Amino acid sequence: MTVDLDRQLRDYASHVTEVSPAVEIEALLTETADALPPLALRSRPRRAAALVAAAFIVVVIGGLALGYRFLVSDIEPVVTQPSSTLPTPTTAPPAPETTLPGASTTVPAPTTTLAAVPPMTWKPAPPQAALGAGDDQRAYMMHTVISSEGRLIAAGSIYSTDESSDGGTAAIWMSENGVDWELMPIEGSDLDVDAAIYDLAVGDFGYLAVGEVFDGLVGRPAVWISSDLVSWTQVQSEAFQELGAMQDVAAGERGIVTVGSGSVWLSEDGWTWQQVLDSPSRFFADVVATNRGFAAAGWREESVTGDAGPYLDITPHLFVSEDGWEWENIELPQDASWFGAQAQSIVIEGDDILVAGNYRSRRYTYFDMHPAFWASDDRVNWDVRHLAPTNVPELRDESADLIELVATGRGPVAVGRWLQYGVGPPGPQFQPGKAIPAVWGAPGNQNWAEVIPRVFGIETFDGGRTTAGFDGAVAIDGKVVAVATQEGRATVWIGEWTD
Amino acid sequence: MPMLTEATREEAFTAFAREVEPRIRHALIPICGVEGAKDATADALLYGWQHWERLSGMDNPAGYLYRVGRTTASRARRRKAGFPSVPNPQLPWVEPGLPAALGRLSPKQRTVVWLVHGLGWPQVEVADLLGLSPPTVQTHARRGMAKLRAHLGGTS
């Protein structure tokens, strides 16, 4: 018997809705009695392209974060045993949480934002086809940039802006000088799927890209390897089955570590992977390889009941590991004026550790985030600095979002954006969010300040995956090259010192 | 807006939530599966409760909460999205490959086909909830059904 498709769909849908469990409204309201005030699910925008897919939801996500945390509070950390190809952990099973003795603050010293420091000029690479110029059908998103053998390699994604078309592809760019870019022909390789690359690494394995493969609105973590930047092979692993994304990668003598939100994956050679951590309370934003193993910047979240009710306590953290398996928590100190902070990026040179992130200036909001910096040479004593809340005239309720920290030889430079979150209901009443790319610097590691004037333009979220603002940066040949996605085009800005 | 007592506020929200909960949950099934749809709907309603004063003034609060749920579903680590298998004894005339074929549609096509052809929602109502224009809904429905037929080997 052949039954028409409409009838099949109706009957099947009827069955599915019958077995679909309903939300118990009364229980939900009881639950909210314990719920926390709205707070954003903070994540590095480059790591969450889908987050900006509906810019208005940026506001919404804040409100959801807490509810979601309650709903998933029963998630247990995933701890998997090492494969035979990986070094045996010193103790098994891995991933116990240990917190080192409290760190101390030595110099809380807020600075101003109005000085023209660092003395740099920034110019954009000219519009060109490789970056999306002239292509009105697709959006070009550049999420990260690294240097290798004197060349710049950038990565991200390209997707169709045609509503009726599905998906896009990951993208790799290469440049000899930062000005002229080539879009690598990855058609037919494993990168030619609806995916995004958020970070790159180079090593004995060749080139390694990490990110996510989209499956509709959700994504799954993914790793690709190439020897020539053109032919890419996606690594298949049972460790990549959960929803999520790999947001950062570090390769060192002790292996390769990738991180994404609360997850950590480890590999010896890039081809065999184990998920060593899936924490609901720890968030890894940036990971680097060190001469002692690995270090990551991030934060921890914990619900706390204060005098005015419950709230989400966010504490900035440095996570360190000698072998990639066991991670120690080092809580970074906070200034007395802060209400939580997130460490977003880390640079280590020898014993010197520099961490950048954002602190919250009011407890019950997520709008007021401002730049914060930590420096130490022993992991115990920290020089903590922050910038006072800044008025950005072009924005309402501006919030800073430092993304990437770069050591330049002329002092560190941090790139990111100023954000104004979208508000209102979908439709004509919605007031879209806006963003301004931003750069901060600290010549001699002292006196952090923003580059003024801001020359990078301002952008309204377009409702697509576009993220306005710098997503990555690298220092090369005495310059800083920062990448962004602006107006649906990959953009590259080159900063040079003027003194 | 006049100040509401806590009891009045709860009554108003509860009535609203009971009305929209099935619609939001059913519309989220194609995105995050049966169990995930419940979680995402709960997230959305929780947000709605926390922001009821603003939400209650909106023209289309259900559509707003649907987008809330959809976004949390995409951000959160939901269970693997997917349609349940066809219960053979009860629905022997339904192609066993239908759930998989639905899963191969794009999210928008899947959702539109599900709501329009599966649940029989008027296209205007689907457009309202999804924030699309009715012609766009029609386009997604037509293309989605064509793909579905192709996936099912020409079943009409």
Side-chain angles (χ1 to χ4, degrees):
Chain A
M1 178 177 66
T2 300
V3 176
D4 71 83
L5 187 54
D6 267 313
R7 167 81 190 283
Q8 293 188 52
L9 274 166
R10 282 198 306 274
D11 291 348
Y12 174 66
S14 176
H15 161 73
V16 171
T17 54
E18 279 178 16
V19 301
S20 167
V23 176
E24 296 178 14
I25 309 297
E26 288 75 13
L28 188 74
L29 297 187
T30 303
E31 196 173 356
T32 61
D34 300 324
L36 304 171
L39 186 72
L41 260 182
R42 297 289 304 172
S43 69
R44 313 173 80 183
R46 71 170 170 171
R47 327 300 194 192
L51 170 65
V52 190
F56 69 92
I57 291 298
V58 171
V59 164
V60 169
I61 286 170
L64 290 165
L66 308 175
Y68 172 66
R69 294 245 167 271
F70 277 105
L71 290 167
V72 299
S73 60
D74 58 343
I75 292 177
E76 294 297 328
V78 170
V79 179
T80 51
Q81 295 298 322
S83 74
S84 58
T85 59
L86 289 169
T88 304
T90 53
T91 58
E97 287 196 31
T98 56
T99 300
L100 297 185
S104 64
T105 306
T106 55
V107 189
T111 60
T112 66
T113 62
L114 298 178
V117 175
M120 299 180 78
T121 60
W122 287 82
K123 295 178 181 176
Q128 50 200 285
L131 302 180
D135 186 349
D136 295 330
Q137 304 300 313
R138 300 188 297 173
Y140 291 62
M141 304 189 67
M142 193 177 273
H143 293 306
T144 188
V145 61
I146 65 169
S147 65
S148 173
E149 298 178 339
R151 298 178 307 178
L152 292 163
I153 304 168
S157 64
I158 298 174
Y159 73 98
S160 173
T161 54
D162 181 357
E163 280 277 321
S164 63
S165 177
D166 296 333
T169 70
I172 298 283
W173 292 267
M174 190 174 69
S175 174
E176 302 288 345
N177 54 19
V179 177
D180 305 305
W181 288 84
E182 177 186 1
L183 182 60
M184 305 306 289
I186 51 91
E187 291 83 359
S189 81
D190 285 357
L191 277 186
D192 192 10
V193 294
D194 190 10
I197 299 171
Y198 299 130
D199 202 13
L200 296 163
V202 183
D204 294 339
F205 42 79
Y207 301 99
L208 187 143
V210 302
E212 64 183 313
V213 173
F214 295 108
D215 177 12
L217 289 175
V218 300
R220 287 187 170 76
V223 173
W224 299 266
I225 293 179
S226 173
S227 60
D228 59 5
L229 295 176
V230 174
S231 299
W232 290 84
T233 301
Q234 184 175 354
V235 176
Q236 302 298 323
S237 173
E238 292 184 358
F240 304 159
Q241 299 305 309
E242 291 288 326
L243 300 184
M246 291 175 170
Q247 299 164 341
D248 210 87
V249 61
E253 295 178 354
R254 306 190 185 190
I256 308 165
V257 165
T258 83
V259 299
S261 294
S263 295
V264 177
W265 295 266
L266 175 66
S267 174
E268 186 179 25
D269 57 5
W271 295 100
T272 305
W273 288 85
Q274 298 286 321
Q275 186 173 10
V276 297
L277 188 67
D278 187 5
S279 169
S281 60
R282 285 187 281 184
F283 295 83
F284 293 72
D286 189 21
V287 63
V288 295
T290 74
N291 55 10
R292 299 180 183 177
F294 299 94
W299 65 93
R300 297 196 66 182
E301 293 181 0
E302 182 182 5
S303 63
V304 173
T305 300
D307 295 339
Y311 65 93
L312 197 61
D313 189 35
I314 305 173
T315 51
H317 271 74
L318 175 69
F319 303 111
V320 296
S321 174
E322 291 188 357
D323 56 10
W325 280 97
E326 295 182 66
W327 290 82
E328 296 173 338
N329 307 330
I330 300 176
E331 183 174 343
L332 299 175
Q334 299 187 55
D335 185 82
S337 63
W338 302 1
F339 291 92
Q342 297 165 320
Q344 291 275 20
S345 188
I346 180 172
V347 168
I348 295 182
E349 292 184 307
D351 289 331
D352 294 327
I353 305 170
L354 184 60
V355 177
N358 309 289
Y359 74 93
R360 189 170 53 175
S361 62
R362 288 185 291 168
R363 174 163 293 160
Y364 294 106
T365 181
Y366 51 94
F367 289 127
D368 281 324
M369 301 294 283
H370 309 283
F373 308 93
W374 298 262
S376 174
D377 58 8
D378 60 6
R379 302 182 182 182
V380 175
N381 298 292
W382 291 87
D383 177 3
V384 183
R385 294 172 183 267
H386 68 266
L387 297 181
T390 302
N391 177 34
V392 180
E394 300 91 334
L395 303 179
R396 139 188 66 74
D397 295 331
E398 64 276 349
S399 191
D401 196 6
L402 271 70
I403 295 294
E404 183 98 73
L405 188 59
V406 182
T408 70
R410 294 286 306 272
V413 168
V415 303
R417 73 204 73 206
W418 288 105
L419 281 170
Q420 167 189 304
Y421 293 100
V423 295
Q429 297 176 44
F430 175 66
Q431 301 173 40
K434 297 178 180 177
I436 301 176
V439 175
W440 295 266
N445 288 345
Q446 301 290 320
N447 300 323
W448 279 91
E450 185 185 357
V451 171
I452 301 288
R454 304 178 182 98
V455 297
F456 310 108
I458 182 171
E459 182 172 350
T460 299
F461 292 139
D462 68 355
R465 290 182 192 164
T466 295
T467 60
F470 290 125
D471 283 347
V474 66
I476 183 171
D477 294 338
K479 302 173 185 175
V480 176
V481 176
V483 300
T485 302
Q486 294 181 271
E487 304 291 348
R489 302 286 173 264
T491 54
V492 179
W493 288 80
I494 302 166
E496 297 186 62
W497 277 267
T498 55
D499 59 352
Chain B
M1 177 185 295
M3 292 296 290
L4 298 175
T5 65
E6 189 61 23
T8 308
R9 180 181 189 273
E10 184 169 335
E11 283 175 13
F13 177 79
T14 301
F16 163 79
R18 283 192 176 132
E19 179 190 339
V20 301
E21 188 273 338
R23 294 175 59 211
I24 295 173
R25 174 166 46 86
H26 293 166
L28 286 170
I29 287 174
I31 301 298
C32 42
V34 171
E35 290 294 332
K38 179 189 176 185
D39 291 346
T41 303
D43 283 353
L45 292 174
L46 188 62
Y47 176 82
W49 169 240
Q50 290 175 332
H51 300 81
W52 176 237
E53 282 69 24
R54 187 157 61 86
L55 192 75
S56 59
M58 294 180 183
D59 292 336
N60 182 14
Y64 189 78
L65 290 188
Y66 166 76
R67 294 183 182 215
V68 171
R70 195 179 66 178
T71 302
T72 49
S74 70
R75 289 282 300 153
R77 295 180 171 206
R78 297 286 181 216
R79 296 177 181 89
K80 184 179 179 181
F83 289 97
S85 59
V86 177
N88 235 353
Q90 297 101 309
L91 302 174
W93 56 89
V94 176
E95 282 283 338
L98 180 61
L102 280 167
R104 292 170 67 182
L105 301 182
S106 73
K108 276 183 182 169
Q109 288 175 349
R110 189 162 64 228
T111 303
V112 168
V113 165
W114 176 254
L115 295 177
V116 173
H117 292 272
L119 297 179
W121 289 22
Q123 289 186 3
V124 172
E125 192 174 336
V126 174
D128 199 35
L129 190 77
L130 304 187
L132 302 173
S133 67
T136 301
V137 168
Q138 194 171 21
T139 300
H140 283 308
R142 188 173 62 248
R143 293 182 179 177
M145 287 298 283
K147 277 190 185 178
L148 204 54
R149 289 192 176 93
H151 291 329
L152 291 173
T155 304
S156 61

